[in-house]
Amino acid sequence: ETPLLIGRGLHKSFGSTPALRGADVAVAAGEVLAVMGPSGAGKSTLLHCLAGLIRPDAGDVVFEGRLVNRMPDRERSRLRRSVFGYVFQFGQLVPELRVLENIALPLLLAGKGRRTAFEAAGQWLPRLGLVDVGDRLAGEVSGGQGQRAAIARALIAKPRVVFADEPTGSLDTVAGDEVMELLVTAAKTEGAGVVVVTHESRVAAYADRQITVRDGRIVQPARAA
Ligand code: ADP
Ligand code: ADP
């Protein structure tokens, strides 16, 4: 079976600092991949290259047979909006918007009507334990609530690949577990590929497979238990 997303021979430097030095990685549909490794190893840079947020200096990123790194900017940003979902350490909700509006945002940006978008967003609230805070401003809810809303926002448009950079980094273990369970569910029920950067083995244990990045390369592609 052809992987959903492939990074091949990825190199990326920032000035004279090499961040990636020939990284190879592949993610299958329905697979949760954990990317581990020490601080500064190149994990975030790898994620940003795979996600089409930055271009590698050399190497290819292939999504469904298409070279993401060779796409014109407009096509690449269309891909980012339509088939990729993102979660960062701090949810990056729009604090001035209500929780429900934040979750609905990708559908509104995709041109769906307000009624459709808010109905779809509303269906996420009970699954996330957010029924009571849907109408609150995102800037006023707890970190765990905000991060669950950020996960819903990343998943609402049914992305083919979800990229999560330390998605549990700002959370306690209970909230972190809830976030990982949502990502695993997206992989198992929607067939999304999920790439999670983490330095916590508790978080990585949710993955189907773990890889370790060190000095810009993949070392020790160990199987998860
Ligand atoms: P990790 O996510 O594993 O902590 P990063 O991918 O963030 O590692 O960083 C890898 C290396 O690249 C580090 O030396 C880091 O300082 C450097 N780096 C990452 N992003 C930038 C940037 N935007 N500008 C300059 N250097 C960067
Ligand atoms: P980390 O702290 O996880 O290593 P950084 O904040 O250093 O990540 O970001 C590394 C690179 O990724 C920088 O060039 C930064 O501009 C870019 N970046 C970080 N967050 C985003 C984002 N949400 N969207 C686009 N680019 C981002």
Side-chain angles (χ1 to χ4, degrees):
E1 193 196 350
T2 315
L4 184 61
L5 181 72
I6 303 169
R8 231 172 9 216
L10 297 175
H11 287 257
K12 178 72 186 178
S13 293
F14 296 99
S16 58
T17 307
L20 291 180
R21 303 190 302 161
D24 295 290
V25 62
V27 191
E31 181 181 45
V32 180
L33 177 72
V35 180
M36 303 196 68
S39 184
K43 303 182 296 297
S44 291
T45 305
L46 176 62
L47 185 110
H48 293 147
C49 284
L50 292 174
L53 293 167
I54 59 176
R55 279 182 211 269
D57 301 329
D60 284 320
V61 174
V62 186
F63 172 72
E64 293 186 324
R66 292 191 289 162
L67 286 173
V68 177
N69 52 302
R70 306 278 175 80
M71 283 176 186
D73 284 346
R74 273 188 62 170
E75 195 182 342
R76 210 159 47 108
S77 67
R78 206 179 57 80
L79 194 75
R80 287 202 303 258
R81 274 201 312 270
S82 60
V83 297
F84 291 168
Y86 303 93
V87 187
F88 296 95
Q89 177 169 0
F90 301 101
Q92 302 185 340
L93 298 180
V94 183
E96 302 82 9
L97 292 182
R98 295 173 197 288
V99 167
L100 193 70
E101 291 170 322
N102 268 279
I103 297 173
L105 214 47
L107 297 179
L108 294 170
L109 293 175
K112 304 274 184 207
R114 292 182 65 81
R115 176 114 155 255
T116 309
F118 285 116
E119 260 173 33
Q123 286 170 10
W124 277 88
L125 297 178
R127 295 174 58 187
L128 299 166
L130 294 177
V131 172
D132 294 339
V133 299
D135 287 331
R136 302 257 304 271
L137 296 181
E140 294 173 355
V141 302
S142 77
Q145 290 168 334
Q147 195 66 332
R148 293 203 298 279
I151 299 271
R153 189 182 57 181
L155 299 179
I156 194 166
K158 298 199 191 304
R160 307 292 313 282
V161 190
V162 181
F163 299 94
D165 197 347
E166 300 280 1
T168 64
S170 61
L171 305 177
D172 63 32
T173 51
V174 173
D177 287 348
E178 287 169 356
V179 160
M180 288 310 298
E181 277 157 19
L182 289 168
L183 291 175
V184 169
T185 301
K188 301 310 160 193
T189 66
E190 307 282 351
V194 178
V195 184
V196 184
V197 166
T198 183
H199 60 268
E200 296 177 72
S201 49
R202 177 188 177 87
V203 170
Y206 281 92
D208 299 303
R209 199 156 56 87
Q210 303 178 9
I211 58 172
T212 301
V213 182
R214 187 157 292 150
D215 295 332
R217 293 195 184 91
I218 311 300
V219 297
Q220 183 220 330
R223 283 261 149 205

